[in-house]
Amino acid sequence: MVCLGNICRSPLAEGILSNKCKSLAVDVDSAGTAAYHIGKAPDPRSQNIASINRIEIKNQKARALKQSDLIEFDTIYVMDQSNYENTLKLAVNDAQRGKVKMILNASKPGSNKDVPDPYYGGDDGFKQVFDLLNEACEIIKNQLELELNGTR
Ligand code: 4NP
């Protein structure tokens, strides 16, 4: 899960998908394309909307996306077009480029919609981000279940 700062959107995406995939052998992680906030916990507004939904993200620590992530992970979900372009800059071949997906295309195929950056807004923006990510992650979880178990 990749956003810009790895303190608002991608920590929520990591928390939501990890929570849905507890019974599956998947490794969910998150990172940012920018290095401004390395080592910080998620934004308190992200922690708050997560905990309202009984998801704990406060122990996450922001880190920067690195080239090896494109080797290690099967899919890189990005939150917006700018993250998409910056992530592609780290890719060195078509196999890696093919791993990078706009996360909302899971729930709205082909739409290339952004998860809006909530950083400079209020709590409403974080609720909207949560709802968008929850909808997308439910579909991603179902896809993973089919891939891993061949059943839902
Ligand atoms: P995120 O949000 O990419 O969802 O973590 C942001 C966090 C920090 C900044 C911008 C967006 N910033 O400008 O510091």
Side-chain angles (χ1 to χ4, degrees), residues 65 67 69-78 83-102 105:
L65 183 67
Q67 220 146 16
D69 290 322
L70 289 145
I71 299 170
E72 191 181 329
F73 291 92
D74 298 318
T75 309
I76 311 284
Y77 288 106
V78 298
N83 309 151
Y84 185 79
E85 285 161 17
N86 287 321
T87 300
L88 282 189
K89 286 181 193 157
L90 290 179
V92 297
N93 57 37
D94 284 345
Q96 291 184 9
R97 282 184 276 277
K99 293 179 174 185
V100 187
K101 297 182 181 173
M102 295 278 281
N105 281 350

Side-chain angles (χ1 to χ4, degrees), residues 3-9 36-37 117 119-120:
C3 63
L4 176 65
N6 193 210
I7 55 166
C8 297
R9 292 165 293 176
Y36 321 130
H37 299 284
D117 182 347
Y119 188 65
Y120 293 106

Side-chain angles (χ1 to χ4, degrees), residues 38-51:
I38 290 173
K40 285 195 200 157
D43 187 288
R45 297 165 294 176
S46 284
Q47 291 189 39
N48 185 46
I49 192 69
S51 78

Side-chain angles (χ1 to χ4, degrees), residues 14 50 61 102 116:
E14 178 188 336
K61 283 200 169 29
M102 295 278 281

